[in-house]
Amino acid sequence: MAEGNIEMKGDYFGSTSRRAFLQQFVTLSASSTVLAVAPWVNLLRAEELNYGSSSSTVRIGVVGVGSRGQALLLRLLKIPYIRVVAVCDNYDINYDRALKITENGATGYRDYRRMIDAGNLDGIVIATPLAEHAHITVDALNAGLHVFCEKAMARTLDSIQKMRVAHEQTGKILQIGLQRLFDPSYLHAIHQIHLGEIGEVTQVRAYWHRNSDWRRPVPPGSDLETKINWRLYRETSAGLVTELATHHIQVANWIFGDIPTRVMGSGRIAYWQDGREVYDHIALIYDYPQGRQLLYDSMTNNAKYGLEAQILGDKGTIEVEAMKGFSEAPSPPTPGILQLINNIREKSFSVLPIGGASWVPELASTDLGENMSQGNYDSTLMSLEAFAMSIRRNEIIPGLFREGYHTSVAALLGEQAMDTGTTVRWSQEYTIPTNSVNEYGASHS
Amino acid sequence: MGTRMDIVLPGLSEDFGTELSSVIARQIEEVEQSLSVYRTDSGVSKLNRLFRGSGSIVIDDAFLFDALEFSSDAYRMTKGYFDIAYGGSGNFGQVCLDRKNQRIEVERPGIRLDFGALGKGLAIDKARACLECAGIDNGLISFGESSILALGCHPLGESWPLGISHPEKSAEFVHVFQITDASLTVSSTLRNGSDGSCTMHSHIKNPFTGQLVDEAKTVAVVAKSAAIGEVLSTSLVVALDGEQRDIVENANISEAVSIVFEGSGMEKQRSWRKVILK
């Protein structure tokens, strides 16, 4: 059954905005350069995402329904061919809220093992604190379930490796939640870069500046500080590098079509002297082959500059979060002025023609396109649909796991660099090679 | 002001020309920061927001205050045809300026100000001052080819030859100015499209009758001050024929030409009639 024949559930997003979003993928799938770096685009073209009959409903359990988990749950509930069968959280407030969101349509669990053992699932979505990602993922994969695991994959390199091994050995889907991989804005930018529009790209500069203590409220008198504010403590979090930097490390890997060779950096607690253990200021330099670099910084007491990834080429610049492109070449003069300049050069004394009313000129910057988040439909929704679609097709999307894996490794190597004050080299054991001609590879010496 | 600026400085080294262009750009930036409605944090944008709630406001932006005083003088000089106010039930005649206290008072809140064309003229005048300070004798600065400073002369002549093109036949000039050390300002109810078409730009209203100007008209003014040129050209394009001469009579301008194009707009070649006002 085609999409248009299915009644969309709820009003979180309209079918119109979803169609408009997917139409971008139809356009993007015509680009061989986009397909080379994002082969999933071909799978996500509108005609591929037909909902089919109810027998191909995908049954999902969500583990970890805190802030991010809720956002994922709300989106999952709006995808007609996904049925959220179970929700799991060991924190009462989250547990109660999750059941309420599903209008008690899902079964509630406080222990993910019981959720898995209950069966009746095709896959799970994991949005727990970082340190819990690995064992839940491995257990689920070994139980025959497919897994969507939020970034940044796991707390330690060892855990990341365990997840990789389980994924490879079970052959089950493991998709890491990095939604820019599904963002048409980014795909358009990559397309233009590969067309040579900004020339040779040697540097990506990314930053994420916020002004907030990053704390979540803790019930007074409770001992839940480290549980609720897990992001602030080293046992459970690497802080800004895993929670924020991973997004743009992934982008840089994608832009360069490569993985870093080494990383150096500095992390400090400069402002929030509140007992936290993670840095509130980080600055990282990732070196890539052929001399290219990612410069990244993040801090949490000034939000003036916000969030951006600047892609710098010898012919132009792309600010991809703002969807702006800039040319290094000066803008050409207006026609009358151009004629004047040519006349002067040719030693011709001619009248300069003046046109009609003032006109709005072509600006130095050009928009790369419309904001691709159409209405409420967004790249996170797309990433979840991709997960569900690959479950229905029983196909692992080529290249997708490698993106999430390499990014997660790079983030933790960055943490090491900051902690030790040394340059940390990428070890070959962390490289997933290219498997087919459709997958772009990561090769470096 | 949402308009492109071109700077032509013949005979200079690239370094010096680039440096001068940067200086001029910084001067224009100051004008923008005070007068551009395209910027939400400009002086005029802040003022427009304050006007919603209050009729009496202190202005700490000196350049903005000067521009308001200029606008007030221009309103009187053009008998109300030049009016930077719009919105609410306001016109600039109801504005009172208190220079001593740097205060503006309006009778009815809800008024909004748009410096639009005047901003370009003020910017050109600032740019001219930059060039003269730098000892530049010859140069041309064009804002969207509708506000043009012609300093000194063309390298091959004794003036800058600037011609008003026929809207549909750009090689035909309906009038040619030979300008030295002055600015040319053009206002028109016609707008050229990027496809070469020419249509009426029907947003200009007569402030007294409230009617849209329905003539295809272009007015060009030459004046030492581009700001005054802007005031006159904007007013003259709106003013009725009989009132135009009154407006130019005491104005500090050197030339003014009004050209009315006749034809349906669907014809390929409009005929035209020209009146030399000064």
Side-chain angles (χ1 to χ4, degrees):
Chain A
M1 254 153 98
E3 172 206 350
N5 295 336
I6 297 285
E7 182 189 338
M8 301 300 284
K9 284 198 273 186
D11 59 1
Y12 188 76
F13 63 90
S15 55
T16 308
S17 61
R18 181 177 181 276
R19 259 198 295 275
F21 193 97
L22 289 173
Q23 186 56 38
Q24 302 305 318
F25 278 84
V26 173
T27 309
L28 287 163
S29 67
S31 159
S32 59
T33 53
V34 167
L35 291 183
V37 303
W40 46 91
V41 167
N42 223 8
L43 303 173
L44 293 170
R45 294 180 313 170
E47 63 266 27
E48 298 285 343
L49 273 173
N50 64 75
Y51 291 117
S53 65
S54 59
S55 63
S56 55
T57 296
V58 176
R59 300 162 303 168
I60 296 288
V62 182
V63 185
V65 207
S67 156
R68 183 60 179 167
Q70 260 182 77
L72 297 177
L73 177 59
L74 284 166
R75 285 167 170 82
L76 287 165
L77 289 170
K78 301 307 176 185
I79 300 172
Y81 56 91
I82 286 179
R83 191 154 63 91
V84 177
V85 166
V87 292
C88 176
D89 205 296
N90 58 15
Y91 180 45
D92 284 347
I93 291 180
N94 290 348
Y95 176 91
D96 292 339
R97 192 164 47 208
L99 285 177
K100 193 171 167 197
I101 288 172
T102 64
E103 294 169 354
N104 293 311
T107 306
Y109 296 89
R110 287 185 165 79
D111 182 336
Y112 75 92
R113 290 179 199 84
R114 293 188 59 203
M115 185 182 87
I116 291 172
D117 289 343
N120 198 30
L121 288 173
D122 299 307
I124 65 169
V125 168
I126 300 173
T128 61
L130 183 65
E132 295 171 39
H133 286 183
H135 62 267
I136 301 175
T137 297
V138 170
D139 287 350
L141 292 172
N142 285 336
L145 298 179
H146 302 290
V147 174
F148 177 107
C149 178
E150 263 296 338
K151 60 91 173 103
M153 211 164 163
R155 180 62 190 96
T156 66
L157 288 165
D158 190 54
S159 298
I160 288 178
Q161 291 296 77
K162 287 190 168 107
M163 291 166 76
R164 173 185 171 184
V165 165
H167 163 59
E168 288 170 352
Q169 284 182 349
T170 61
K172 293 298 173 187
I173 296 160
L174 175 53
Q175 182 177 327
I176 307 304
L178 289 160
Q179 65 267 28
R180 281 164 179 77
L181 290 162
F182 298 90
D183 190 329
S185 315
Y186 275 86
L187 293 166
H188 273 294
I190 284 176
H191 177 53
Q192 286 177 291
I193 291 163
H194 283 273
L195 285 178
E197 302 236 349
I198 62 169
E200 185 185 344
V201 175
T202 56
Q203 188 179 93
V204 174
R205 279 200 321 183
Y207 51 84
W208 202 329
H209 294 187
R210 295 178 172 179
N211 197 333
S212 130
D213 63 7
W214 218 21
R215 287 184 163 279
R216 290 165 177 154
V218 177
S222 72
D223 59 353
L224 297 172
E225 162 64 13
T226 52
K227 180 179 175 63
I228 290 172
N229 285 310
W230 61 268
R231 295 184 297 185
L232 304 181
Y233 300 96
R234 288 299 200 111
E235 192 178 334
T236 43
S237 170
L240 297 172
V241 74
T242 43
E243 300 311 306
L244 300 187
T246 40
H247 289 294
H248 293 106
I249 296 170
Q250 181 268 302
V251 166
N253 289 351
W254 216 15
I255 301 291
F256 292 141
D258 224 322
I259 48 178
T261 56
R262 62 181 196 171
V263 55
M264 59 200 86
S266 172
R268 294 286 181 267
I269 299 175
Y271 185 82
W272 297 105
Q273 310 290 352
D274 58 355
R276 72 183 59 198
E277 295 168 354
V278 300
Y279 303 127
D280 61 15
H281 281 63
I282 64 169
L284 292 159
I285 301 175
Y286 286 87
D287 283 346
Y288 288 76
Q290 288 110 51
R292 295 164 296 170
Q293 283 185 327
L294 164 66
L295 308 183
Y296 184 89
D297 84 278
S298 180
M299 53 98 79
T300 54
N301 54 297
N302 177 292
K304 159 88 177 166
Y305 296 106
L307 157 70
E308 190 50 83
Q310 301 164 335
I311 305 166
L312 310 177
D314 64 342
K315 292 198 179 122
T317 304
I318 292 177
E319 289 178 353
V320 67
E321 296 284 345
M323 285 287 292
K324 292 272 182 205
F326 304 86
S327 173
E328 289 285 292
S331 311
T334 54
I337 299 296
L338 184 58
Q339 182 181 323
L340 172 67
I341 292 169
N342 288 335
N343 287 344
I344 291 174
R345 285 186 178 138
E346 293 159 10
K347 297 193 176 3
S348 160
F349 184 74
S350 303
V351 176
L352 167 64
I354 306 299
S358 297
W359 60 285
V360 179
E362 185 181 326
L363 299 172
S365 77
T366 54
D367 286 326
L368 295 181
E370 292 174 19
N371 185 335
M372 297 303 170
S373 286
Q374 305 278 345
N376 281 323
Y377 197 90
D378 62 17
S379 52
T380 299
L381 261 165
M382 190 81 267
S383 69
L384 292 167
E385 286 217 47
F387 176 57
M389 186 205 67
S390 56
I391 291 177
R392 274 150 56 111
R393 293 161 67 104
N394 202 27
E395 276 180 29
I396 291 176
I397 298 176
L400 197 52
F401 172 73
R402 191 192 313 112
E403 286 288 342
Y405 172 81
H406 285 155
T407 296
S408 305
V409 168
L412 292 181
L413 294 180
E415 183 193 25
Q416 267 185 27
M418 290 190 290
D419 287 346
T420 60
T422 63
T423 300
V424 174
R425 298 202 163 271
W426 183 282
S427 170
Q428 197 61 20
E429 66 181 295
Y430 298 130
T431 302
I432 295 181
T434 311
N435 285 332
S436 76
V437 295
N438 284 332
E439 295 175 320
Y440 75 92
S443 57
H444 63 280
S445 54
Chain B
M1 313 291 164
T3 308
R4 180 196 175 99
M5 177 172 69
D6 287 289
I7 305 175
V8 181
L9 301 171
L12 295 188
S13 69
E14 188 178 341
D15 286 346
F16 188 31
T18 304
E19 170 62 22
L20 263 183
S21 300
S22 299
V23 170
I24 291 169
R26 281 198 292 274
Q27 293 282 307
I28 307 298
E29 168 66 21
E30 288 177 16
V31 176
E32 289 267 301
Q33 196 50 34
S34 290
L35 303 187
S36 176
V37 293
Y38 289 88
R39 296 192 182 189
T40 57
D41 63 341
S42 69
V44 68
S45 292
K46 288 182 198 167
L47 187 60
N48 282 336
R49 285 195 292 274
L50 287 169
F51 276 143
R52 283 184 213 147
S54 172
S56 178
I57 298 158
V58 171
I59 295 174
D60 53 16
D61 180 336
F63 185 77
L64 174 59
F65 197 88
D66 287 346
L68 288 166
E69 282 197 317
F70 186 96
S71 303
S72 179
D73 293 341
Y75 180 88
R76 278 194 296 281
M77 180 177 77
T78 61
K79 305 181 196 319
Y81 274 107
F82 184 82
D83 189 345
I84 65 167
Y86 69 100
S89 50
N91 61 55
F92 209 70
Q94 59 150 307
V95 167
C96 277
L97 293 169
D98 173 0
R99 171 151 282 275
K100 185 178 163 203
N101 296 305
Q102 294 278 291
R103 182 183 289 274
I104 183 170
E105 291 185 4
V106 296
E107 286 171 20
R108 289 182 287 274
I111 198 172
R112 291 171 70 84
L113 307 179
D114 184 348
F115 284 96
L118 177 61
K120 291 201 290 281
L122 292 170
I124 288 257
D125 288 341
K126 267 203 178 235
R128 177 181 185 154
C130 279
L131 292 179
E132 287 172 342
C133 276
I136 303 298
D137 294 325
N138 304 297
L140 189 123
I141 297 182
S142 165
F143 266 94
E145 295 186 355
S146 69
S147 305
I148 302 173
L149 167 66
L151 195 67
C153 52
H154 187 290
L156 299 163
E158 293 178 357
S159 60
W160 288 94
L162 305 179
I164 307 295
S165 298
H166 187 287
E168 280 128 9
K169 293 181 286 178
S170 59
E172 177 181 324
F173 296 111
V174 300
H175 190 84
V176 175
F177 296 94
Q178 300 287 350
I179 302 180
T180 302
D181 292 335
S183 292
L184 172 68
T185 310
V186 181
S187 294
S188 178
T189 58
L190 289 169
R191 179 180 286 268
N192 288 323
S194 54
D195 60 352
S197 64
C198 186
T199 53
M200 280 288 289
H201 185 42
S202 56
H203 77 304
I204 304 174
K205 269 191 193 172
N206 184 306
F208 301 110
T209 65
Q211 301 298 311
L212 289 172
V213 176
D214 59 4
E215 280 186 306
K217 190 196 297 188
T218 293
V219 170
V221 173
V222 179
K224 198 159 174 69
S225 159
I228 290 182
E230 287 290 353
V231 167
L232 268 296
S233 68
T234 307
S235 308
L236 291 171
V237 89
V238 178
L240 301 172
D241 287 357
E243 291 165 319
Q244 287 179 322
R245 289 199 189 275
D246 286 343
I247 291 171
V248 303
E249 190 176 343
N250 297 315
N252 190 7
I253 61 175
S254 47
E255 293 180 70
V257 174
S258 176
I259 305 149
V260 174
F261 295 92
E262 281 148 355
S264 68
M266 300 304 291
E267 298 163 11
K268 283 298 173 190
Q269 296 179 12
R270 300 173 199 254
S271 59
W272 49 272
R273 58 181 168 83
K274 179 170 69 178
V275 176
I276 307 292
L277 297 171
K278 195 165 187 174

mmCIF file of all heavy atoms in Angstrom, chain B residues 192-197:
data_model
loop_
_atom_site.group_PDB
_atom_site.id
_atom_site.type_symbol
_atom_site.label_atom_id
_atom_site.label_comp_id
_atom_site.label_asym_id
_atom_site.label_seq_id
_atom_site.Cartn_x
_atom_site.Cartn_y
_atom_site.Cartn_z
ATOM 1 N N ASN B 192 13.211 47.072 -13.307
ATOM 2 C CA ASN B 192 13.686 46.125 -14.314
ATOM 3 C C ASN B 192 13.827 44.735 -13.718
ATOM 4 O O ASN B 192 14.422 44.563 -12.659
ATOM 5 C CB ASN B 192 15.052 46.559 -14.849
ATOM 6 C CG ASN B 192 14.925 47.778 -15.741
ATOM 7 O OD1 ASN B 192 13.969 47.930 -16.492
ATOM 8 N ND2 ASN B 192 15.878 48.673 -15.643
ATOM 9 N N GLY B 193 13.243 43.773 -14.436
ATOM 10 C CA GLY B 193 13.411 42.405 -13.973
ATOM 11 C C GLY B 193 14.681 41.808 -14.523
ATOM 12 O O GLY B 193 15.281 42.332 -15.466
ATOM 13 N N SER B 194 15.090 40.692 -13.923
ATOM 14 C CA SER B 194 16.337 40.065 -14.368
ATOM 15 C C SER B 194 16.180 39.474 -15.762
ATOM 16 O O SER B 194 17.151 39.168 -16.435
ATOM 17 C CB SER B 194 16.762 38.970 -13.383
ATOM 18 O OG SER B 194 15.699 38.052 -13.207
ATOM 19 N N ASP B 195 14.924 39.342 -16.209
ATOM 20 C CA ASP B 195 14.722 38.792 -17.550
ATOM 21 C C ASP B 195 14.628 39.894 -18.594
ATOM 22 O O ASP B 195 14.256 39.656 -19.738
ATOM 23 C CB ASP B 195 13.436 37.946 -17.583
ATOM 24 C CG ASP B 195 12.194 38.771 -17.219
ATOM 25 O OD1 ASP B 195 12.353 39.938 -16.798
ATOM 26 O OD2 ASP B 195 11.073 38.257 -17.358
ATOM 27 N N GLY B 196 14.933 41.128 -18.199
ATOM 28 C CA GLY B 196 14.902 42.223 -19.160
ATOM 29 C C GLY B 196 13.549 42.900 -19.249
ATOM 30 O O GLY B 196 13.393 43.903 -19.950
ATOM 31 N N SER B 197 12.567 42.368 -18.556
ATOM 32 C CA SER B 197 11.247 43.002 -18.614
ATOM 33 C C SER B 197 11.245 44.243 -17.742
ATOM 34 O O SER B 197 12.115 44.445 -16.907
ATOM 35 C CB SER B 197 10.189 42.023 -18.116
ATOM 36 O OG SER B 197 10.440 41.730 -16.751
#
